[in-house]
Amino acid sequence: MFSKVDAKKKNDLLDKAKVAREERAHQKNKETVIIAIQAVVRGYLIRCQIRRQITSELQQIVDTVQLEDGKVAKPKFRPAIDLYKAVKKFVIIFNEKKDKEMFEKLCRYIIASMDNGTDPKVLHLPLIAGKFTDNLLSLFLVHILSVPAIIQHLSSIAPECLAVLQTHEVFKKSLNMLCLEQNTKIVFNSLEGNYALCLLANLIQLGNIDSEALTANVSSFNRVVGSLLSKCQSYVAQKKSNNTHWHPVFGWFSQTTDHRLHEAMPFVVKQLQLLWNPRTVKLLFNDILKHSSRASNGSPEKMAAMSSHSKDSSSGPKNIILRKLQRSSSKSSSSSQKGWSITAPEVKTTCGVCELYQTSLMTLTQLRMDILTGLSYQDVLLSNLWKFIWELGPHGPLKLYTELLLSNETQPVFSVLILFCDCASHLITVLDDLELYEQQRPFQVEDLVCMSKFLNAFIYRMIWDHSLDSKSKHGGLLNSTHNLLMLLYDRDCRRSFTSENHWLIKELKPSVFNSELEKAKKRAQVVLQKIPHVVPHRDRVILFRKQVANENAALSITESVSASPASTLITVHRARLLEDGYRQLALLPAQALKGVIRVRFVNEQGLDEAGIDQDGVFKEFLEETIKTVFNPSLNLFRMTCGEQRLYPSPTSYIQDNHLQLFEFVGRMLGKAVYEGIVVEVPFASFFLSQVLGQQHSALYSPIDELPSLDPELYKSLTFIKDTGDTLGSVLRGFFTIRKKDPVGRLPTSSTCFNLLKLPNYQKKSTLREKLRYSITSNTGFELS
C-alpha cells in the first residue's frame, strides 16, 4: 500500500514539471514574438523616419520651382551634384502611388534646370580637369557612356553637351584607351554583355557625329568596335537551352537581360543602325571610294555622254567594232590599275572594316538582314568593293586568294571577299531582270561575267586543290562564295548572260574525275555536290547511267527478262491504263520498282496483246500513262497562261486519292529517269523549284519564279516596285488638290493613278497612310 502512494506522488510531480516546462516554453515564445513585433515596428518607424528625411531633403530642392500663372518662375537652382545625391536616395524609397506628386515636381525641376543656361562644361569638369587620365576616362566609359542611348538623348535635348565632347576629342581619346586589349577587358568585365552593347552604340553615334575624327581614326574604330563585338559574341548561343535567354539584338544569349533595358533597347538599336547607314559606310570605306573616283576617267558629264553614246550606238558593224575597241581599252585600263598589295595601308584598313562588318553579322544576329540591306543598297559600295577585289594582287585575285589558302594563319583579306559575297547575294536575290540586265545596277553585265568566272575557278580550286568543305577551317569563305556563285548560275540558267562553256573547268579532265569518283575520293564527291556544272552535262549523264548499271548489278537486275529474278509482271487494260497501273505499281517497294517491270496489255475485246518485254512495251505503257496523267482534263495538272507549262492544279482534290496519284506520278517519272527513257514533260520553273527544295534556301526569291505562273501579275508587281519612288510625287499632287479644293475632298483613284506618272520622284514615306486612305476610300481596295 505504501508503494501505491509513492506512485501517485510521482505522477503528480511529473505533471507539475510538465506544466512548468510548457509554461516556460510558452513564455519564451511570447518573448520571441514580442521581440519580432518590436523589430518590425521599430524598422517601420525608422524607415518612415528615413523616408521623411529623404523626401524632405528632395522637397527643399524641388520646391524652388513654383508655377505662377502657368509659368515657371526663375529659381535659384542648387548644384547638380546635390540633386543627384538626393535623387539617388529617393529612387530607393520611391513608391509610384505615394510619391506621384513628388515625382512630378522633380520632373518639373529638371526641365526648368535645362533652360537655366548652365555652362555645359560644368558637367564634364571632373573629366576635363583631370586631363583625361585613364582612371577617370575608364570611369566615364563605365558609368556615363554606358547609359543606354545617352548620346541620342543628348543630341535632342542638350546638343551643347555633344559640342563639348567633340571639342575635347572625347571620342578619339576613348578609342585610344580602348585600343589596348587590357583596357577593353576591364571595361567589358565591368559592364558585361548588355551594357557593353550600350557603350558600343554610344561610341558608334559619337563617331557618326564627329566624322572628321572617325575618318582619321578608322583603324582604331575598327579595332575597338570589333573587340567589343567579339567579346559579346562569346555569349551568343546558336539555340535555346536552359542556360540561355532571349535578347532582342543577340538572339539567344547566355547572360540575363536587365529588365530596365527593354524600353531603351529600340533606341540602342537605332544607334547601332548608324554603323551601316550611308554616312558611316562612306567614311569607313573612304580609301577605296577615293581610289575609284580617281580611277574613273573624265567628269560625270563626260561619263554620261559616253554612256549615252554607247546606248545610241547599239547596231551596225562600225558600232560593233567601236564597242570591241571600248572593251579592249577598258580591259587594258583595268589591268593597268591592278596591283593592290595586301600590305598597303589602304588594303589593311579596308580589310579591317570588312572584318568589323563580318563580326557584326555574326554577333548581332537579330539585325543581320538589316545590316546586309544597309550595306547592299548603298549606291556605290558593292560595285567599288568588286573593283577593289578585282585589282588585288599583281596577278589578279584568283592567284592571290589561291596562294593565301596555303597559309595556316587567318588572312584578313578573306573578309573582304566574304562580306562582298554575302552582300551581293542579298542584293541580287531581289533584283529583277530589268534591273540586272537592262539597267545593269549595281553591276555591269561584264562584271557579272568576270565575277562568275572568278568564283567558279576559285571554288573549284578550294575543293579540288585544297580539299575544303563547309566544316573546314575556311568553311565560311566556301559557303559565302558558293552562295553567290550558285545565285549567278541560276540567273544565267533563267536568262543567259555568259558565253557557251563559260561554267566548265577546262583543267578538270573527265578521265581523272571519273577515276576519283570510282575510288570514292572526297574532293570528287564534293565537286559533284557543290558545283556539278563544272562537269559537262554529257559526262554527268554517263556517270549517272554507270551508277544505275552498278546498282542493277548489285541488285542482280539484268537486261535479260528471263534471267532476271527481280521482275514484276502487270496486266493493263487499254481502257483503264491509269487505274490498272496505279493499282499494281503504287504500292510496289522501291527495290522492286528499280527492277524489271513487264507489261501485258489487254485490248478492248479483253484479249491479251502479243509482246511482253521491258523496253518497248513498258516504254509505251510509261509514255501513255504520263500522257494521261498530265492531261489537263484529268484536273491533276494545269497549264500556265504564257508558255503552257505544267503545274499541280489547285482543284485536284476533286479526284479521289489525289495525293496518292501525285505520288504515283513521281514514281513513274523517277522510273523513266532511272531507265533512261526520255519523256517530254514541260514543268513550270516555279514547280520545279518546289520539287527540288530550292524554296528552303535563304537566297530563294519567289518573285523570280512568278513569271512562269502569271506574267501579268509579275509585270504589275515589278511596276509597283519600280515606281515605289513616285510616292513623293503622288503625295505632292494629293496635297495640291486638297489646297485647291475648299471642301478638302479626296482625289479619285484615277487621279491618284495619274499622279503616279509624275516625274521628279522623291521618297516621302511619312505621309504613306494618308495616301493609303485616299486610295482605299475611292477604290474600295484595302492596301497593306
Side-chain angles (χ1 to χ4, degrees):
M1 184 172 182
F2 180 76
S3 59
K4 292 184 178 179
V5 174
D6 292 341
K8 184 176 181 181
K9 290 181 178 180
K10 183 178 179 181
N11 291 335
D12 293 340
L13 182 62
L14 291 176
D15 291 339
K16 290 180 180 180
K18 181 179 178 181
V19 172
R21 187 168 59 253
E22 291 178 351
E23 185 175 355
R24 289 194 303 271
H26 181 68
Q27 187 67 25
K28 187 175 181 180
N29 290 338
K30 286 176 61 178
E31 292 177 357
T32 303
V33 172
I34 292 172
I35 293 173
I37 294 174
Q38 288 178 348
V40 171
V41 173
R42 288 176 181 176
Y44 172 77
L45 294 176
I46 292 175
R47 286 195 296 272
C48 291
Q49 181 181 358
I50 294 175
R51 179 182 178 83
R52 285 195 297 270
Q53 291 176 357
I54 294 174
T55 307
S56 176
E57 182 180 350
L58 184 61
Q59 189 83 27
Q60 293 177 2
I61 297 176
V62 300
D63 277 350
T64 56
V65 179
Q66 299 293 336
L67 289 176
E68 296 179 0
D69 298 331
K71 298 182 179 179
V72 179
K74 288 186 178 181
K76 293 182 179 180
F77 292 98
R78 298 274 293 275
I81 190 65
D82 293 345
L83 178 64
Y84 169 74
K85 292 179 179 179
V87 172
K88 187 177 180 180
K89 298 176 184 177
F90 178 69
V91 170
I92 299 175
I93 56 99
F94 176 74
N95 183 281
E96 186 176 355
K97 295 181 178 180
K98 295 180 180 179
D99 301 315
K100 181 179 180 180
E101 183 179 355
M102 178 61 69
F103 183 74
E104 293 177 355
K105 290 182 179 180
L106 176 61
C107 294
R108 192 179 298 116
Y109 179 89
I110 294 175
I111 294 173
S113 64
M114 290 169 56
D115 301 328
N116 188 38
T118 304
D119 186 1
K121 295 181 181 180
V122 176
L123 300 176
H124 316 285
L125 188 58
L127 185 63
I128 297 170
K131 298 182 179 180
F132 294 93
T133 62
D134 288 347
N135 187 27
L136 286 175
L137 191 56
S138 177
L139 292 174
F140 175 76
L141 293 174
V142 171
H143 297 288
I144 303 298
L145 211 57
S146 64
V147 175
I150 186 174
I151 300 299
Q152 183 175 359
H153 295 309
L154 287 177
S155 63
S156 59
I157 63 177
E160 62 276 4
C161 293
L162 294 182
V164 173
L165 294 176
Q166 188 172 354
T167 302
H168 292 278
E169 299 181 336
V170 173
F171 173 69
K172 178 182 178 181
K173 290 180 172 64
S174 300
L175 292 182
N176 292 337
M177 177 189 174
L178 292 173
C179 277
L180 298 176
E181 183 67 19
Q182 185 63 28
N183 293 336
T184 306
K185 288 182 179 179
I186 294 174
V187 171
F188 185 83
N189 291 335
S190 301
L191 298 173
E192 295 185 334
N194 290 293
Y195 286 96
L197 180 68
C198 299
L199 171 62
L200 174 63
N202 287 319
L203 284 175
I204 291 172
Q205 187 167 8
L206 277 178
N208 185 267
I209 294 173
D210 195 351
S211 57
E212 294 183 1
L214 178 59
T215 305
N217 299 273
V218 172
S219 299
S220 300
F221 180 79
N222 293 339
R223 193 177 303 113
V224 171
V225 176
S227 179
L228 288 174
L229 286 173
S230 298
K231 293 185 181 302
C232 290
Q233 186 182 352
S234 61
Y235 294 96
V236 177
Q238 297 296 327
K239 57 183 179 180
K240 181 181 180 181
S241 67
N242 295 331
N243 298 324
T244 58
H245 307 272
W246 180 254
H247 193 283
V249 174
F250 297 124
W252 292 112
F253 203 58
S254 59
Q255 288 185 342
T256 57
T257 303
D258 191 343
H259 68 280
R260 293 173 295 182
L261 278 177
H262 288 308
E263 294 184 359
M265 197 53 66
F267 300 102
V268 175
V269 171
K270 190 174 182 180
Q271 287 181 300
L272 293 173
Q273 290 172 342
L274 295 175
L275 182 60
W276 50 87
N277 78 338
R279 175 185 173 87
T280 306
V281 170
K282 289 180 180 179
L283 291 174
L284 295 179
F285 286 101
N286 185 46
D287 289 337
I288 63 173
L289 295 180
K290 286 193 304 184
H291 173 77
S292 177
S293 62
R294 293 196 195 105
S296 60
N297 298 321
S299 61
E301 292 80 4
K302 291 183 180 180
M303 297 297 291
M306 290 176 62
S307 63
S308 62
H309 177 71
S310 63
K311 290 179 181 179
D312 295 337
S313 58
S314 58
S315 61
K318 295 183 179 180
N319 296 328
I320 294 175
I321 297 174
L322 178 61
R323 289 201 302 273
K324 290 185 176 180
L325 291 174
Q326 289 176 349
R327 291 178 182 174
S328 62
S329 62
S330 64
K331 290 181 181 178
S332 62
S333 62
S334 63
S335 62
S336 63
Q337 294 168 4
K338 284 186 179 181
W340 276 111
S341 173
I342 59 174
T343 59
E346 297 87 352
V347 176
K348 290 183 177 179
T349 302
T350 303
C351 292
V353 176
C354 293
E355 283 185 323
L356 165 65
Y357 283 115
Q358 276 300 111
T359 309
S360 302
L361 289 170
M362 291 185 293
T363 306
L364 311 176
T365 58
Q366 301 308 300
L367 303 178
R368 177 179 174 84
M369 298 302 293
D370 195 11
I371 298 173
L372 289 175
T373 302
L375 296 176
S376 303
Y377 288 88
Q378 304 293 333
D379 295 335
V380 293
L381 177 60
L382 278 184
S383 58
N384 286 299
L385 203 56
W386 167 243
K387 293 177 184 177
F388 174 77
I389 295 173
W390 189 245
E391 296 172 7
L392 280 174
H395 304 290
L398 179 59
K399 185 174 179 59
L400 173 67
Y401 278 110
T402 305
E403 291 176 349
L404 290 176
L405 287 174
L406 298 173
S407 175
N408 294 326
E409 300 178 358
T410 302
Q411 297 293 333
V413 74
F414 285 149
S415 62
V416 181
L417 183 57
I418 294 175
L419 182 67
F420 169 77
C421 291
D422 289 343
C423 294
S425 301
H426 181 75
L427 178 62
I428 294 177
T429 301
V430 298
L431 292 180
D432 56 32
D433 291 347
L434 176 65
E435 295 169 321
L436 192 66
Y437 299 109
E438 306 298 334
Q439 300 175 357
Q440 298 190 22
R441 59 181 190 188
F443 304 109
Q444 299 291 320
V445 173
E446 290 81 1
D447 293 331
L448 298 177
V449 174
C450 296
M451 196 184 304
S452 58
K453 194 73 174 178
F454 160 69
L455 292 173
N456 202 43
F458 180 57
I459 293 174
Y460 166 74
R461 294 188 181 183
M462 277 197 290
I463 298 173
W464 192 259
D465 297 340
H466 301 277
S467 300
L468 297 180
D469 57 15
S470 300
K471 298 180 181 179
S472 60
K473 175 183 177 182
H474 297 291
L477 176 64
L478 178 61
N479 291 335
S480 297
T481 52
H482 181 259
N483 286 339
L484 179 56
L485 174 68
M486 298 312 297
L487 185 60
L488 293 173
Y489 178 74
D490 291 341
R491 298 300 290 259
D492 184 62
C493 292
R494 192 162 61 247
R495 178 175 172 179
S496 178
F497 59 84
T498 61
S499 60
E500 187 178 1
N501 298 331
H502 171 83
W503 299 98
L504 301 180
I505 299 295
K506 296 181 180 179
E507 59 190 86
L508 180 61
K509 303 300 181 183
S511 58
V512 177
F513 183 74
N514 295 340
S515 175
E516 297 227 355
L517 271 181
E518 291 176 358
K519 297 176 182 178
K521 291 294 185 68
K522 181 180 178 181
R523 64 178 186 176
Q525 294 175 347
V526 175
V527 165
L528 204 57
Q529 293 171 358
K530 291 282 188 181
I531 46 174
H533 56 262
V534 302
V535 182
H537 180 264
R538 181 175 178 275
D539 295 338
R540 281 180 277 160
V541 173
I542 294 174
L543 285 173
F544 177 72
R545 301 311 314 163
K546 185 181 293 186
Q547 290 182 0
V548 170
N550 293 337
E551 188 175 23
N552 286 340
L555 296 174
S556 301
I557 300 174
T558 62
E559 295 187 7
S560 175
V561 176
S562 59
S564 175
S567 62
T568 303
L569 175 63
I570 63 173
T571 302
V572 178
H573 289 73
R574 289 283 185 181
R576 302 192 305 270
L577 191 72
L578 179 60
E579 293 82 353
D580 290 347
Y582 170 74
R583 178 173 49 81
Q584 299 177 70
L585 295 177
L587 300 179
L588 201 65
Q591 186 171 349
L593 190 62
K594 290 180 179 179
V596 177
I597 297 179
R598 297 178 295 164
V599 180
R600 176 187 290 118
F601 278 117
V602 177
N603 59 22
E604 296 179 357
Q605 288 76 25
L607 302 176
D608 294 344
E609 296 183 3
I612 300 176
D613 63 354
Q614 180 190 4
D615 295 332
V617 179
F618 176 74
K619 181 180 179 182
E620 180 186 358
F621 161 74
L622 193 62
E623 291 175 346
E624 291 297 326
T625 300
I626 292 177
K627 182 179 179 181
T628 303
V629 166
F630 290 112
N631 191 335
S633 61
L634 190 62
N635 203 35
L636 276 181
F637 289 86
R638 283 186 181 179
M639 289 283 191
T640 58
C641 299
E643 299 180 351
Q644 295 293 303
R645 293 189 172 271
L646 292 166
Y647 69 97
S649 173
T651 57
S652 61
Y653 58 85
I654 64 176
Q655 293 282 352
D656 294 336
N657 302 325
H658 67 290
L659 296 180
Q660 288 77 9
L661 284 174
F662 280 126
E663 184 178 358
F664 173 69
V665 173
R667 290 167 66 90
M668 291 299 98
L669 291 177
K671 179 63 175 176
V673 174
Y674 192 80
E675 298 295 341
I677 300 174
V678 179
V679 291
E680 295 184 2
V681 183
F683 282 131
S685 62
F686 75 90
F687 175 58
L688 285 176
S689 299
Q690 300 289 321
V691 172
L692 297 175
Q694 296 177 354
Q695 77 276 10
H696 300 298
S697 171
L699 303 178
Y700 175 76
S701 176
I703 290 294
D704 294 335
E705 304 291 353
L706 185 58
S708 63
L709 175 64
D710 193 335
E712 294 300 323
L713 178 60
Y714 174 75
K715 290 180 181 179
S716 301
L717 291 178
T718 52
F719 171 78
I720 294 174
K721 181 172 74 72
D722 294 336
T723 57
D725 294 346
T726 64
L727 183 59
S729 300
V730 174
L731 296 173
R732 284 197 300 274
F734 167 64
F735 285 105
T736 300
I737 294 174
R738 289 186 65 91
K739 289 180 181 178
K740 293 181 179 179
D741 192 342
V743 184
R745 292 173 295 186
L746 293 171
T748 62
S749 57
S750 60
T751 304
C752 291
F753 182 80
N754 291 331
L755 290 174
L756 284 171
K757 302 178 181 180
L758 293 178
N760 302 324
Y761 307 140
Q762 293 183 5
K763 295 181 180 179
K764 297 288 184 181
S765 59
T766 55
L767 305 176
R768 188 186 306 273
E769 287 300 319
K770 293 185 178 180
L771 176 66
R772 186 174 70 88
Y773 174 72
S774 170
I775 297 178
T776 303
S777 61
N778 287 276
T779 63
F781 292 101
E782 187 66 30
L783 303 180
S784 60

